[in-house]
Amino acid sequence: MSRGLHLASYLLAFDTRAQSLQDRTRAGYLVRAGALAELAYRGAAAEDGSGRVRVTRADPTGDRVLDALLAELGDRPRTWKSWIRRNRDDTLEAVEDLLTALGVTTMADRDPHGPVVPYRPVALNDPHEALDLQARVAELVRADTPVAQASFADAALAALAAHGHLRLVLSRHDRKAHARRIEALTDRLTDRAPGLARAVAGLNLTIVAGQGGMGGG
C-alpha cells in the first residue's frame, strides 16, 4: 500500500527485529524531511527566490500530520533546513499516532501509575510492510536502471535513507559504492524544490550538529 513520505520514512527507519526505531532522534529528522517532501510533491509548499519555504496551497490535505505542518509553514518564511530541524519530535509523535489510528502500528498505553517516559513503545502490526519498503529502497540504490524511471516518492526515500545514514537500509559501503546514483536520486527532489534537495543532501550533518557533534555512521 502506498503511503505518504512522512509515514513511509517512519517505516523505513523501523527496526523490525528490535521492534523499535533504529535511532529515534535520527528518525525525527527523517520523518520531518519526509513530510516536507510530501508537501512539495503535492504542490502545497514551494520555495521563493530567496530559498524560503512558502505555502502555495493551503487546502486541507486530509492528513492531520501534513495539515499541522502546513499551519506551521504559514507562520513565517524559513529555509527547508530550518523547517526540518524545528518541531521534529512533535511531527514524529504525530506520525506514530496516525499510524496507530490507521492500524499500521500498536502503541502501548501510558501507565498512569508508572514512571514518566519520553515516548510510548510502538509495535508494527505487519513487519513485512517495513521490510519490503526497506528492501525496495535498497534495491533502487544498488540497481543500474535509469534513475528517471524511479517514482518521485521512491527517489526521495532513497535520498533520505542514504543521507540520513539509515544502516537498516544502506551500509556505509553501499553509500560509497553508489554515491553517484544517490546523488542522481537526490537530484530528483530539485524537480519540486532545489533547496529541499540541498537540505536532504546535508541531512546527516544537520543531525550530527543537532546532537552536539555526536552520532553519524
Side-chain angles (χ1 to χ4, degrees):
M1 181 181 295
S2 176
R3 302 201 184 275
L5 287 167
H6 51 311
L7 303 183
S9 296
Y10 185 92
L11 297 176
L12 204 62
F14 200 91
D15 186 337
T16 58
R17 290 185 178 182
Q19 275 294 297
S20 66
L21 292 167
Q22 174 190 313
D23 179 329
R24 189 170 182 85
T25 298
R26 191 167 292 269
Y29 285 92
L30 288 165
V31 166
R32 183 77 169 183
L36 289 165
E38 181 68 23
L39 289 177
Y41 177 66
R42 295 185 182 207
E47 60 191 66
D48 58 24
S50 63
R52 308 285 177 173
V53 183
R54 59 186 176 88
V55 174
T56 52
R57 191 172 68 237
D59 300 337
T61 65
D63 181 303
R64 61 197 190 207
V65 177
L66 298 180
D67 288 341
L69 181 51
L70 270 178
E72 283 188 61
L73 297 182
D75 179 44
R76 60 174 293 184
R78 301 178 189 273
T79 64
W80 294 105
K81 179 179 177 179
S82 178
W83 283 120
I84 288 173
R85 297 179 65 174
R86 291 178 63 84
N87 300 329
R88 56 190 182 275
D89 291 339
D90 292 340
T91 299
L92 179 60
E93 291 178 7
V95 162
E96 288 180 325
D97 287 339
L98 181 54
L99 285 171
T100 296
L102 292 172
V104 179
T105 59
T106 299
M107 187 179 297
D109 293 330
R110 291 192 185 278
D111 183 354
H113 306 293
V116 177
V117 294
Y119 58 89
R120 289 180 287 170
V122 175
L124 274 182
N125 294 332
D126 181 9
H128 288 96
E129 183 174 1
L131 290 170
D132 290 347
L133 177 62
Q134 291 163 7
R136 188 175 84 235
V137 169
E139 178 57 28
L140 175 59
V141 171
R142 297 169 185 150
D144 56 6
T145 55
V147 168
Q149 291 182 3
S151 69
F152 176 89
D154 282 351
L157 290 172
L160 289 171
H163 297 298
H165 287 200
L166 277 184
R167 295 185 303 276
L168 280 170
V169 183
L170 297 168
S171 66
R172 180 177 297 183
H173 172 77
D174 286 326
R175 298 198 307 269
K176 289 184 177 180
H178 305 288
R180 289 188 178 180
R181 186 169 177 85
I182 289 169
E183 181 179 359
L185 289 164
T186 306
D187 283 346
R188 290 289 305 279
L189 292 169
T190 62
D191 297 342
R192 302 285 176 169
L196 179 58
R198 291 191 295 272
V200 170
L203 190 57
N204 187 60
L205 290 177
T206 299
I207 295 170
V208 171
Q211 294 175 323
M214 301 300 291

